[in-house]
Amino acid sequence: MKTSIYNIFFRGLTLVSKFIFIIFLGKYSIDETNLGVFGLLSTSIAFLIYIIGFDFYVFNTREIIASKINLVEKIKNQLVFHLSTYLIIIPISLLIVFNLNFIPIRYLWLFLALLISEHLGQELYRLFTTLEKSKIANIMLFIRSGLWIWVVIFDFFILKNQIDLYRYIVIWALFSYLSFLLFFILTIKSIGITKIKYSTPDWKWILSGLKTASVFFIGSLSFQVIQLSDRFMIDFFYGKKLVGIYTAYAQFTNAIDVFTFSAITMVAYPNLLSSFNDKKNYAIIKNKFSKNLLIASITLIALTSIIGPYIFKFLDKKAFLDELPTFYILLTSAFILIMSNVYHYDLYVKKKDKTILKIALLGMVINIILNLFLIPKYNIFGASIATLISFIIIFVLKFYNSKKILTK
């Protein structure tokens, strides 16, 4: 229980820090461009982390939980896999992101450095969580993703330096590498590595992991496309100012999603898994999970819908208030997404991975098509409508398949 409180505290602190940075950047930048550039840079890194990672951790987590024998070899083999994805994915991604001018070329080396440190930091976070050291994992997450923001605030308000997004990204990169270095040292101590020696990669094990992870990867990637790809389309058709507004709105909905996941879904999932063979108990836990999500999401969305406009007014930029319908559509989308988790995890516990995968792929395809039609005509409002429709379809399909399995 104590560990759970620590985890929620540090994850919450990280989330609040990100939220403050978005408000700070929106308030004190000349216009919405800085928010747009930061939104595209952070979105690109988040998206590429998924591609490079390939959800390989899903396979290795299962292997480590099954047996901690040869733990070092398992970690080394996973690292070899990621080095391979670096060599393939990074050159292609840099060409796309910078050649199409989504991100200014001056950020190239910073982008590359952050992509590597953020990915390795994420993998180490997952490893420590698997090794039941989630308290350390969440402290490291805060150092990597939250602490640097307070240095930025100090730089602006106390040192009185001019606002400079490039300098802020440098500070982010420094803290990202600090977190990685601390994580690396703790990893060596935790698993008892006394010396590092070369060994031939176990390609059979790696290929087995690739096959297992591919199903999860396609599902995760589909979801990331729905959540993140619209920013690139908005930038392509309208530029970075509208991306900045959309990024600020999305920060609110993401905060609600992350909070409900950390506080409710992460707690409910193990209970669903352990009680599955007891149908009566499983139904009770599932209903409680659904009720908790419903109460939490409605409460948070109601509060956000009231507080949000006052925050946007504080930013003192008219465009944030002009586009408020988009904000409310995104909040509705967040509610649909959160409630779909009840049926998502129900299907997952029942090992209906292929059903989940098909639904995710369909949702992604529909979202891309809708974005291509709606964004050119209705700008960020069109993007929010595309997201809402995609999540409604995903919710209905998960609900239907969950009930369909139940009646068999």
Side-chain angles (χ1 to χ4, degrees):
M1 181 67 180
K2 199 173 180 180
T3 300
S4 179
I5 292 169
Y6 272 114
N7 293 342
I8 292 171
F9 172 77
F10 280 107
R11 285 188 71 89
L13 191 58
T14 303
L15 204 61
V16 168
S17 301
K18 289 180 178 180
F19 186 72
I20 287 172
F21 182 71
I22 294 296
I23 293 174
F24 162 75
L25 211 54
K27 172 67 175 176
Y28 296 102
S29 296
I30 295 171
D31 57 25
E32 300 86 0
T33 303
N34 272 343
L35 261 180
V37 173
F38 178 76
L40 287 167
L41 188 142
S42 56
T43 296
S44 300
I45 289 171
F47 189 70
L48 287 170
I49 282 173
Y50 269 91
I51 297 176
I52 291 170
F54 206 82
D55 271 357
F56 197 88
Y57 81 94
V58 175
F59 169 74
N60 204 12
T61 296
R62 188 186 68 184
E63 292 287 300
I64 291 169
I65 290 172
S67 173
K68 290 185 174 62
I69 298 171
N70 296 324
L71 176 60
V72 175
E73 290 302 312
K74 290 170 184 174
I75 295 170
K76 283 167 67 176
N77 284 321
Q78 182 175 349
L79 185 59
V80 168
F81 170 77
H82 291 315
L83 287 173
S84 303
T85 57
Y86 281 175
L87 293 173
I88 297 167
I89 301 300
I90 288 179
I92 298 169
S93 62
L94 292 179
L95 188 65
I96 294 170
V97 169
F98 289 94
N99 198 45
L100 295 178
N101 201 34
F102 286 120
I103 302 171
I105 193 68
R106 69 192 292 249
Y107 291 94
L108 174 61
W109 293 109
L110 270 177
F111 180 86
L112 181 59
L114 268 170
L115 178 58
I116 294 170
S117 65
E118 287 291 301
H119 169 251
L120 292 176
Q122 179 76 343
E123 296 300 339
L124 285 171
Y125 174 87
R126 288 163 172 165
L127 174 64
F128 269 66
T129 303
T130 303
L131 296 174
E132 299 179 352
K133 298 178 184 293
S134 58
K135 191 192 297 184
I136 295 173
N138 281 294
I139 292 171
M140 291 299 111
L141 175 66
F142 172 66
I143 293 171
R144 175 164 60 94
S145 301
L147 187 58
W148 68 272
I149 292 166
W150 297 101
V151 176
V152 167
I153 299 300
F154 181 84
D155 175 78
F156 183 79
F157 287 105
I158 307 301
L159 300 183
K160 303 295 181 182
N161 287 320
Q162 292 288 319
I163 197 161
D164 184 349
L165 182 61
Y166 187 87
R167 185 167 70 251
Y168 300 157
I169 303 302
V170 170
I171 294 170
W172 176 15
L174 290 173
F175 274 85
S176 183
Y177 274 94
L178 172 64
S179 173
F180 169 68
L181 180 62
L182 291 172
F183 244 146
F184 183 73
I185 293 168
L186 287 169
T187 302
I188 291 173
K189 288 186 175 181
S190 295
I191 60 182
I193 298 175
T194 53
K195 60 180 180 178
I196 299 173
K197 57 182 180 179
Y198 174 78
S199 59
T200 306
D202 187 345
W203 292 107
K204 185 179 178 181
W205 186 89
I206 293 171
L207 288 172
S208 176
L210 184 64
K211 184 179 178 182
T212 302
S214 60
V215 176
F216 296 95
F217 168 70
I218 295 168
S220 296
L221 184 64
S222 301
F223 181 72
Q224 290 300 309
V225 167
I226 294 171
Q227 288 226 302
L228 303 176
S229 65
D230 47 13
R231 290 158 176 78
F232 297 99
M233 295 191 199
I234 293 165
D235 182 53
F236 181 81
F237 289 108
Y238 293 99
K240 290 175 176 54
K241 288 185 180 181
L242 277 179
V243 176
I245 296 167
Y246 197 77
T247 298
Y249 290 163
Q251 190 67 33
F252 282 85
T253 57
N254 180 61
I256 295 168
D257 182 32
V258 171
F259 180 83
T260 54
F261 180 80
S262 301
I264 299 172
T265 304
M266 281 183 71
V267 176
Y269 172 61
N271 295 330
L272 287 169
L273 203 60
S274 61
S275 66
F276 181 62
N277 292 324
D278 183 347
K279 289 186 178 181
K280 186 178 179 180
N281 193 31
Y282 179 80
I284 292 169
I285 292 170
K286 183 185 167 187
N287 288 335
K288 185 181 177 183
F289 175 36
S290 178
K291 189 182 292 183
N292 288 342
L293 276 184
L294 184 66
I295 293 168
S297 58
I298 288 176
T299 303
L300 290 170
I301 287 168
L303 287 171
T304 305
S305 65
I306 295 168
I307 296 168
Y310 290 101
I311 293 174
F312 299 136
K313 191 176 181 180
F314 167 76
L315 298 182
D316 200 25
K317 291 178 178 63
K318 186 173 176 291
F320 284 102
L321 295 173
D322 290 341
E323 301 292 344
L324 271 180
T326 298
F327 176 63
Y328 292 119
I329 294 294
L330 286 175
L331 285 176
T332 308
S333 301
F335 174 73
I336 301 296
L337 172 64
I338 291 165
M339 293 312 300
S340 72
N341 280 334
V342 176
Y343 308 104
H344 173 88
Y345 284 95
D346 182 55
L347 290 169
Y348 190 75
V349 168
K350 293 169 181 173
K351 299 181 179 179
K352 298 297 176 182
D353 297 343
K354 288 184 179 178
T355 301
I356 295 170
L357 179 61
K358 288 175 184 177
I359 293 170
L361 283 171
L362 179 63
M364 180 188 71
V365 171
I366 290 170
N367 181 257
I368 292 171
I369 294 170
L370 288 172
N371 276 328
L372 288 170
F373 277 100
L374 295 175
I375 290 176
K377 193 170 182 179
Y378 300 107
N379 60 65
I380 62 174
F381 183 73
S384 66
I385 291 294
T387 301
L388 177 61
I389 294 172
S390 302
F391 284 160
I392 288 173
I393 290 169
I394 288 171
F395 175 87
V396 170
L397 289 173
K398 285 180 179 178
F399 175 83
Y400 170 76
N401 281 280
S402 175
K403 298 298 182 184
K404 181 183 174 184
I405 293 165
L406 189 66
T407 56
K408 282 186 177 180

